[in-house]
Amino acid sequence: MSKIIEVNGLSRTYKLKEGLKTALDNVSFEVEKGEVFGLLGPNGAGKTTTIKILTTLLLPTSGEVKIFGYDVVSDSNKIRDKINFVYGGEKGVYGRLTAKEYMHYFCTLYKIKNNNQNDLINNLLTLVQLHEAENQKIHTFSKGMIQRLHIARCLINNPQLIFLDEPTIGLDPLGAKLLRDIVKQLSEKGITIILTTHYMQEADELCDRIAFIRGGKITLIGKPDYIKKSCNNLNLFEATLSINDIEKLQKENFFRNLSIKTIKEPYYIINFEANEADIEFIMKYLSNFAEVLDIKKKEISLEDAYIFHMREVINK
Amino acid sequence: MTTINWLTLLVREIKYFTNFENKMYQFLLFFQPLMFLSIVYFLNEYRGDINDGRFVIASALISMWSYVLYSSGSALTSQKWSDTLKLLLVSPVSLSAILMTKVISNSFIAMFSMLLSFIYAKFIFNFKVEIASYTLFSIAILVLILSLSVMGLILAIVFVAFQNVYDYQNLILTPMVLMCGVFIPVEQFPLVVKVVSYIIPMTWGIKSVYEALQLSSPIYTTMTISILISLFYLLAAFFIIKRIELLLRKTGKLGAI
Amino acid sequence: MFINKYGLTTLSYKAVYSYQSIKLFILFRIVDPFMHYIFFATLASALVGTSYLKFVVLGNIVYYTCQTMMINFINMFRMERRYGTLELNIASPTNTLYVIIKKGIVPLLDSLFVFLISIILGGILFDLNLPINNIVNIIFLCLVTMFTMFCFSLLFACISLVFSNVNLFLNITLAFLQIFCGVNFGVNKLPEVLEFISRLLPLTHSIEALRTIYRITKYEVTSLLLKELTLGFCYLILSLILVISMEKLARKNGELFKDI
């Protein structure tokens, strides 16, 4: 497999009134051809800056970034021919145009010959399942339809690398599912995809590899399974209890990040984190407070891993 | 509602909702008088005996009217845009009282450009503005403010009742200036235009100010007519707003809102 | 280019232009200029007398044409920003200045229409009879004036991309043009320094040429129009330099033009 993106010691600072702000601090990573690569992190972590630099819209302060072997600083035009991007939300469309007209507009901007435009537009709108709405004005579209139209737009120049910046933000579950299916389809065609999202389940489902970014630094990178395993020292438990004095349990420091769900008094389901991994020990400890009806160690989801990993930032 | 309560509302309105950040208003209040005064100044070079005072006031009037048109005109529709109309409707204060505070506050703010015009005229262009009686002139200004407020009230209602009219608000900007005798006295208009002009409250307010400037004899009559006409429209507006309120509660919508 | 219903110009018109219905077009392209001329004619007559009326109306015809072009040109970009499409346009492989010019064709045609309507309105309302024997000069003036206004608007549109709110800047510029381009009074009335500035602005020479064609003033039409044409080219080159340097700066500073 060949490397599509090579980032080496990338840093970026912004000049603000209050002084220099470091948005990216010595970031390095690589993305292989055909991968779906997830960039996850809280707001302000540096995701957008990374994407802006990779799409050549922003210059790095220092470090080296190569896309398809071309340098983002000196060969931006060669790179732009082979990439495209979609950002989430309802912006970026002309509401008064129909989907077809919108596509024609961008076909012309992307220098597609007039004779070829109709076929291309047909194919792309079919791919994103908008061909039936092609003569409908965009202002009548749902959020999901707008996002799919964006995907169709970004495929106009037949890019080998696309950037999707929170594409499913604000979509209803069905719309989001449809969009994920399209992303999978594109990935099967061998298109490399860089994805940012706040939905961990989505990242888990779509991404071949994931990078956690925090305070301008990549703190963890790897396949979703690897990331989950990296949290092996994280012990999450779920227990069903019969308990009379729930408040006493709440005051106990042993159970960290305790969440309690009442089934019907005195029955509760509790979720918590513990330093101790041994389930027997936990059960014993719990029985000091309540009758333990059921207890199991939870499998760590990407979301658990994310929260575990980012907690320091959230606490700050 | 007590008068005190209403006055507090007026002061709040001026304090909180006067939006000098709005670039359109900045232009209308600060820059437009400067532009018109420059034109007057250089055109004066062709003749040299222009009645300075009248044209300084004319420059101010154009800005004042533009400001009232854009600010008071959208007093109700803008509440709809920012989705605060519901809150106003459910408050114990009547809609007409709220609207009155808005249009009166806008007319007072519009006075700002009158003041600025005088300052520009004196310090930049060296125009001679002679005001014979400051007391009388001040009273005339108050009469003008009343007529401008009433104009604002009418506009707010018209823009809300007929949604399409709002798109054309630019089109009534200049005709109003001409019709109300800002440049050419209404007496010189053809009969039909004269009749229309005389039923516009602003015409009388403007006439009062011009007459106060020169101490023309019919000043007291003009001011009385101006006040009476304004009060008539005010009363009419009061009833129409009551009806609007009722319709809004009944059907939940009306024209632009 | 204009027939292509999927061309950049046609689609830009549909997507972001303010006037989409015949009713709006008639009101704002015939009634509004009509009001504008009456307004300034009245102002001038009240101040100086009716003898001066034609002089003022001719100046305002050129001014109003320019105002139409600038306001509507800038409005297109305001809409692009509101829709968040400006960035997508700029990121495309098509040259940014080319995209801006293509979009500008709409307000260009619009203001050309306004100019022609205004010439007719002038004839009907203010007895400004079109000197038919001078038709070559009229056409030449029309072409040159449109070109220079277009280049000036282009420069202004480029500058406007940097501002978060361009409204005040636009209004002040228009007021500035109205005072310094000899719209309502000859620029020779201005102090010397200001007259020099007025000679660098668009409109000034066109207005003088138009008045000469209508035999109200006596200047050399051809040389005035050549000066105007030269100014147009200067504005065009300036816009070109500006766009290139702005794109470079945007990549460096990380801000690809201001959002609303």
Side-chain angles (χ1 to χ4, degrees):
Chain A
M1 283 216 276
S2 61
K3 292 185 178 71
I4 296 269
I5 299 177
E6 293 163 88
V7 179
N8 239 316
L10 169 66
S11 294
R12 169 74 213 195
T13 50
Y14 291 107
K15 269 184 208 142
L16 296 177
K17 278 175 202 157
E18 308 88 57
L20 283 182
K21 181 188 176 260
T22 306
L24 285 179
D25 185 8
N26 197 15
V27 167
S28 302
F29 63 92
E30 286 169 352
V31 178
E32 309 267 340
K33 185 175 164 37
E35 263 190 317
V36 179
F37 186 79
L39 214 48
L40 311 182
N43 293 327
K47 290 178 312 228
T48 307
T49 303
T50 311
I51 290 206
K52 275 193 169 173
I53 291 173
L54 295 180
T55 49
T56 78
L57 293 175
L58 182 65
L59 294 176
T61 310
S62 66
E64 192 188 48
V65 180
K66 283 194 165 164
I67 317 269
F68 306 110
Y70 297 120
D71 187 77
V72 284
V73 181
S74 51
D75 291 323
S76 63
N77 284 337
K78 284 179 191 148
I79 296 170
R80 280 189 198 193
D81 283 344
K82 296 175 156 193
I83 64 169
N84 217 320
F85 58 90
V86 169
Y87 42 81
E90 287 162 276
K91 284 204 155 193
V93 288
Y94 298 110
R96 288 191 203 152
L97 298 186
T98 65
K100 200 173 162 192
E101 287 170 335
Y102 180 76
M103 290 297 286
H104 271 293
Y105 182 82
F106 279 96
C107 278
T108 311
L109 279 183
Y110 278 89
K111 300 182 174 173
I112 307 290
K113 287 209 176 70
N114 279 347
N115 303 337
N116 306 337
Q117 288 190 5
N118 275 325
D119 284 344
L120 178 66
I121 291 170
N122 250 328
N123 291 340
L124 293 179
L125 289 181
T126 311
L127 177 80
V128 299
Q129 301 180 32
L130 278 177
H131 51 287
E132 276 167 16
E134 65 173 21
N135 290 319
Q136 224 171 297
K137 297 237 156 134
I138 300 172
H139 68 79
T140 65
F141 278 22
S142 67
K143 285 180 188 172
M145 289 165 87
I146 289 177
Q147 267 330 295
R148 280 183 276 141
L149 183 61
H150 273 311
I151 301 253
R153 189 209 76 230
C154 92
L155 294 173
I156 282 175
N157 60 336
N158 193 19
Q160 292 154 45
L161 170 62
I162 58 181
F163 296 85
L164 306 176
D165 196 357
E166 299 184 24
T168 52
I169 198 159
L171 298 195
D172 61 70
L174 272 177
K177 165 89 169 63
L178 197 51
L179 203 82
R180 286 199 299 271
D181 291 343
I182 291 170
V183 172
K184 280 182 201 160
Q185 239 177 306
L186 297 179
S187 175
E188 278 160 20
K189 289 185 181 182
I191 299 174
T192 311
I193 294 166
I194 310 295
L195 174 80
T196 76
T197 178
H198 285 306
Y199 306 116
M200 293 304 130
Q201 226 177 339
E202 177 174 293
D204 200 5
E205 182 184 337
L206 291 176
C207 297
D208 298 313
R209 272 192 321 135
I210 284 169
F212 278 174
I213 183 164
R214 193 175 88 177
K217 286 183 177 171
I218 287 189
T219 49
L220 193 59
I221 189 165
K223 291 189 162 47
D225 281 343
Y226 168 81
I227 286 187
K228 287 178 214 164
K229 275 186 193 134
S230 76
C231 301
N232 262 350
N233 55 344
L234 175 67
N235 306 304
L236 296 178
F237 296 95
E238 186 178 285
T240 313
L241 309 174
S242 167
I243 189 169
N244 287 321
D245 189 2
I246 192 83
E247 276 172 29
K248 194 175 162 202
L249 185 80
Q250 278 168 327
K251 283 177 198 145
E252 189 57 45
N253 284 332
F254 183 83
F255 311 104
R256 279 185 286 116
N257 298 303
L258 181 70
S259 77
I260 300 168
K261 211 162 69 186
T262 316
I263 311 172
K264 190 186 155 205
E265 279 187 45
Y267 301 106
Y268 298 90
I269 294 179
I270 64 167
N271 277 280
F272 60 92
E273 231 182 281
N275 285 337
E276 182 58 52
D278 183 11
I279 197 158
E280 294 291 327
F281 180 85
I282 298 282
M283 214 169 116
K284 238 184 212 163
Y285 196 89
L286 259 177
S287 54
N288 293 333
F289 304 88
E291 186 187 339
V292 183
L293 303 175
D294 181 36
I295 183 162
K296 59 181 182 238
K297 193 168 181 200
K298 265 179 70 185
E299 201 177 308
I300 291 167
S301 68
L302 190 64
E303 184 163 332
D304 295 326
Y306 179 87
I307 292 173
F308 176 69
H309 204 80
M310 298 295 170
R311 197 176 289 148
E312 271 174 48
V313 177
I314 295 164
N315 288 342
K316 270 176 201 168
Chain B
M1 179 174 50
T2 60
T3 322
I4 301 291
N5 191 354
W6 187 80
L7 281 177
T8 324
L9 205 60
L10 178 64
V11 173
R12 293 250 158 88
E13 180 69 37
I14 294 179
K15 238 167 95 181
Y16 298 155
F17 295 115
T18 306
N19 188 1
F20 285 119
E21 290 284 296
N22 184 319
K23 308 282 178 195
M24 176 86 171
Y25 297 164
Q26 282 178 8
F27 178 76
L28 292 178
L29 293 174
F30 298 94
F31 295 98
Q32 195 170 268
L34 198 58
M35 181 189 94
F36 278 109
L37 285 173
S38 309
I39 294 175
V40 170
Y41 178 84
F42 288 108
L43 273 176
N44 196 11
E45 303 257 303
Y46 286 94
R47 227 173 87 166
D49 60 343
I50 288 173
N51 177 348
D52 294 349
R54 193 180 162 90
F55 285 100
V56 171
I57 289 176
S59 306
L61 285 173
I62 298 169
S63 285
M64 290 171 77
W65 158 240
S66 322
Y67 181 75
V68 166
L69 171 67
Y70 290 118
S71 60
S72 295
S74 59
L76 264 183
T77 20
S78 67
Q79 299 292 326
K80 171 69 186 170
W81 297 329
S82 59
D83 221 10
T84 41
L85 188 70
K86 293 188 217 90
L87 304 179
L88 293 188
L89 279 176
V90 297
S91 76
V93 182
S94 75
L95 189 59
S96 41
I98 294 171
L99 260 185
M100 273 311 285
T101 59
K102 285 187 184 300
V103 296
I104 291 180
S105 112
N106 285 336
S107 308
F108 270 107
I109 300 299
M111 277 304 302
F112 211 70
S113 62
M114 177 76 93
L115 195 70
L116 269 179
S117 297
F118 280 115
I119 293 172
Y120 291 153
K122 183 153 173 56
F123 295 104
I124 300 178
F125 299 101
N126 222 354
F127 283 136
K128 280 192 266 331
V129 184
E130 282 159 10
I131 297 171
S133 155
Y134 279 95
T135 323
L136 206 55
F137 189 73
S138 312
I139 296 171
I141 290 287
L142 286 177
V143 171
L144 176 71
I145 287 182
L146 178 65
S147 70
L148 276 174
S149 307
V150 170
M151 286 297 286
L153 204 56
I154 300 168
L155 288 169
I157 292 172
V158 170
F159 286 158
V160 121
F162 310 99
Q163 182 167 20
N164 313 334
V165 181
Y166 190 77
D167 298 336
Y168 306 121
Q169 60 168 347
N170 284 337
L171 289 178
I172 61 167
L173 184 70
T174 41
M176 274 296 180
V177 174
L178 298 176
M179 298 256 292
C180 295
V182 172
F183 295 129
I184 295 176
V186 180
E187 287 80 21
Q188 296 177 16
F189 290 160
L191 185 68
V192 186
V193 186
K194 215 189 294 190
V195 172
V196 180
S197 295
Y198 279 143
I199 59 172
I200 302 171
M202 203 166 66
T203 307
W204 296 95
I206 290 172
K207 208 161 140 59
S208 305
V209 173
Y210 279 146
E211 283 174 4
L213 187 69
Q214 295 157 332
L215 281 186
S216 308
S217 51
I219 170 77
Y220 292 106
T221 326
T222 310
M223 287 207 278
T224 314
I225 297 176
S226 182
I227 292 170
L228 285 177
I229 289 201
S230 299
L231 288 179
F232 169 76
Y233 279 104
L234 197 63
L235 211 65
F238 181 74
F239 283 111
I240 295 172
I241 294 169
K242 267 244 150 3
R243 219 176 134 60
I244 287 184
E245 228 172 336
L246 205 71
L247 271 173
L248 276 174
R249 290 206 166 126
K250 236 183 194 163
T251 62
K253 62 182 198 173
L254 176 109
I257 54 180
Chain C
M1 181 170 59
F2 304 119
I3 308 156
N4 182 2
K5 69 171 177 166
Y6 293 129
L8 285 188
T9 305
T10 328
L11 287 178
S12 291
Y13 166 74
K14 268 190 105 166
V16 290
Y17 209 60
S18 309
Y19 301 102
Q20 306 257 332
S21 77
I22 303 270
K23 194 168 96 186
L24 275 178
F25 204 80
I26 289 176
L27 278 168
F28 282 93
R29 290 299 169 263
I30 299 172
V31 178
D32 198 50
F34 170 83
M35 298 292 185
H36 181 92
Y37 303 139
I38 299 266
F39 181 85
F40 279 96
T42 317
L43 173 78
S45 329
L47 272 160
V48 193
T50 44
S51 59
Y52 192 64
L53 210 140
K54 290 184 180 177
F55 183 92
V56 169
V57 171
L58 284 174
N60 273 290
I61 287 180
V62 179
Y63 167 78
Y64 191 88
T65 309
C66 184
Q67 178 187 301
T68 308
M69 190 182 308
M70 288 184 72
I71 290 181
N72 291 295
F73 206 167
I74 297 306
N75 256 337
M76 291 178 89
F77 288 100
R78 197 155 61 200
M79 296 301 264
E80 295 272 1
R81 287 179 196 207
R82 189 176 300 167
Y83 295 153
T85 44
L86 192 61
E87 210 168 341
L88 298 177
N89 278 280
I90 289 166
S92 78
T94 305
N95 180 293
T96 304
L97 192 69
Y98 179 79
V99 177
I100 298 178
I101 288 176
K102 276 282 197 177
K103 286 183 187 292
I105 290 174
V106 188
L108 177 75
L109 291 174
D110 194 359
S111 53
L112 178 66
F113 177 79
V114 164
F115 183 73
L116 298 177
I117 282 286
S118 300
I119 293 290
I120 296 168
L121 278 177
I124 300 167
L125 290 173
F126 304 101
D127 204 21
L128 282 162
N129 296 315
L130 187 71
I132 298 293
N133 52 353
N134 229 337
I135 196 75
V136 182
N137 266 344
I138 291 258
I139 293 171
F140 184 40
L141 174 127
C142 186
L143 291 175
V144 169
T145 308
M146 286 294 155
F147 171 75
T148 306
M149 277 179 192
F150 185 72
C151 297
F152 184 74
S153 308
L154 201 63
L155 180 63
F156 192 90
C158 297
I159 296 172
S160 83
L161 295 179
V162 194
F163 284 80
S164 51
N165 185 330
V166 77
N167 238 342
L168 183 66
F169 183 43
L170 176 64
N171 277 325
I172 291 176
T173 307
L174 286 171
F176 192 81
L177 291 179
Q178 206 163 38
I179 294 165
F180 292 101
C181 294
V183 175
N184 296 294
F185 48 86
V187 288
N188 52 346
K189 298 281 177 209
L190 290 167
E192 219 168 302
V193 189
L194 297 181
E195 190 185 341
F196 176 75
I197 293 173
S198 80
R199 296 277 165 209
L200 298 176
L201 293 173
L203 309 193
T204 310
H205 299 100
S206 287
I207 289 174
E208 285 177 345
L210 187 68
R211 284 186 187 133
T212 307
I213 291 172
Y214 274 86
R215 297 195 196 87
I216 287 169
T217 50
K218 287 193 181 109
Y219 294 109
E220 180 58 50
V221 174
T222 318
S223 87
L224 281 175
L225 290 181
L226 286 177
K227 278 181 199 159
E228 185 85 5
L229 193 64
T230 318
L231 280 176
F233 276 111
C234 294
Y235 289 130
L236 187 63
I237 292 165
L238 277 178
S239 337
L240 194 71
I241 296 170
L242 195 67
V243 168
I244 293 169
S245 45
M246 267 167 50
E247 278 186 314
K248 272 195 186 145
L249 212 69
R251 279 185 76 195
K252 218 166 150 187
N253 295 342
E255 218 169 33
L256 194 81
F257 308 123
K258 287 244 162 62
D259 292 328
I260 325 177

